[in-house]
Amino acid sequence: MSYALHYHRGIPGRGEFVRLLFVHAGTPFHDLPALPAQDAAQHFAPPLLRYTSAADAPPDFAAEVELSQTPVILYFLASRLGLAPSDEAGRLAVQQRVETILDLANEVHDVHHPVDASLYYEDQRDVSLRRAPYLLQLRVPKFLSTFAAQVSASGNGWLHSSGVSAADLVLFHLLEGLAYAFPRYFGTLKKEARFAPLFELQSRLRETESIQRYLKSEARTPFNEYDLFRHYPELDAEYTGKV
Ligand SMILES: N[C@@H](CCC(=O)N[C@@H](CS)C(=O)NCC(=O)O)C(=O)O
């Protein structure tokens, strides 16, 4: 089996959710730039995953499967990389968690692009300043409460009772992204005992040998202000639970 991930250079972006599955599973993949002309009838935007059952194929292999849409790519990979349960109900439960976490990632993006993705942040900052408190004080805690309830229901420290899954890796990147984008906020959120299982999950994954090695490597693109998770100090605030 061979895999190629095509994604924008210079940002972790949504490609990182996919990358972390490969890294955790120890599965090699070709990490390639976004294709200049994707098949527009099939694919709207990166990331794009190409797959062939042939082993050790070169980067330009002829794909048997070609997928876009992060959740679809993650669903395809999760069972192949040992990051999903073997039964259908379990696979769907993991996918449901993945997609909820990605919903929150989209809301984080929309805080720095609340009017439109085609405008610069600086041209919509006034709306961002209005929206950020809703994200930080209401939306993030609401999502995190659900994730914490799932970890507590699983009884094993992960989001699903089957053990570590794609959903945990997606949550890991979301928490890393929130910590980068909103350090003041994240510092106060970490004092909330009800979210402690999530921060423990994050630390456990960060300390995994494969992830540690990856985070220190050149293969990891640092967060920056072209990304999904951006640090604009004026949007950051302590967690108070009040808008
Ligand atoms: N729902 C899609 C969103 C894809 C997406 O927004 N890709 C970004 C990069 S992370 C992009 O290049 N978008 C181009 C555009 O929206 O015009 C997914 O999850 O893959």
Side-chain angles (χ1 to χ4, degrees):
M1 285 181 232
S2 303
Y3 301 93
L5 170 66
H6 291 267
Y7 193 69
H8 302 299
R9 298 289 85 177
I11 57 168
R14 290 180 174 86
E16 198 68 9
F17 294 115
V18 179
R19 239 174 242 122
L20 284 168
L21 265 60
F22 287 122
V23 168
H24 189 271
T27 301
F29 67 105
H30 299 291
D31 196 340
L32 302 170
L35 293 174
Q38 290 187 354
D39 175 357
Q42 296 295 328
H43 305 294
F44 174 71
L48 179 88
L49 183 84
R50 293 170 40 248
Y51 164 82
T52 174
S53 51
D56 302 323
D60 59 350
F61 63 77
E64 290 159 33
V65 176
E66 196 176 89
L67 301 171
S68 57
Q69 285 293 349
T70 313
V72 176
I73 295 171
L74 295 171
Y75 185 73
F76 177 79
L77 288 178
S79 48
R80 281 168 178 79
L81 301 182
L83 288 165
S86 50
D87 63 300
E88 186 179 41
R91 279 198 301 279
L92 291 171
V94 165
Q95 186 62 14
Q96 176 193 305
R97 286 152 176 66
V98 163
E99 298 205 19
T100 309
I101 302 161
L102 293 177
D103 282 351
L104 177 54
N106 286 338
E107 292 198 23
V108 175
H109 168 273
D110 291 349
V111 157
H112 54 74
H113 279 79
V115 178
D116 195 69
S118 64
L119 299 174
Y120 290 113
Y121 164 67
E122 288 71 19
D123 296 329
Q124 47 193 322
R125 183 171 16 210
D126 51 342
V127 189
S128 292
L129 285 165
R130 277 196 65 196
R131 184 159 172 171
Y134 292 92
L135 176 80
L136 301 186
Q137 309 304 340
L138 303 181
R139 299 299 290 167
V140 170
K142 184 171 182 179
F143 277 88
L144 294 194
S145 299
T146 296
F147 306 150
Q150 289 163 346
V151 172
S152 132
S154 79
N156 60 11
W158 303 112
L159 282 163
H160 190 263
S161 55
S162 58
V164 64
S165 71
D168 299 300
L169 290 153
V170 173
L171 180 63
F172 169 76
H173 188 56
L174 174 100
L175 294 173
E176 295 284 309
L178 286 175
Y180 170 80
F182 307 107
R184 268 180 77 198
Y185 173 71
F186 205 76
T188 48
L189 204 63
K190 280 190 97 165
K191 295 182 187 146
E192 294 286 309
R194 65 198 161 120
F195 300 139
L198 303 178
F199 302 124
E200 281 158 23
L201 180 158
Q202 181 190 8
S203 305
R204 219 176 311 129
L205 280 176
R206 202 187 300 113
E207 281 152 25
T208 306
E209 203 192 315
S210 55
I211 303 259
Q212 275 246 335
R213 203 176 329 112
Y214 168 67
L215 294 179
K216 289 183 192 149
S217 75
E218 301 255 309
R220 164 76 160 190
T221 304
F223 288 112
N224 60 58
E225 278 54 69
Y226 299 95
D227 192 28
L228 201 55
F229 301 100
R230 302 184 183 192
H231 176 55
Y232 294 122
E234 63 274 25
L235 301 184
D236 194 7
E238 294 193 351
Y239 174 59
T240 60
K242 292 192 195 82
V243 175

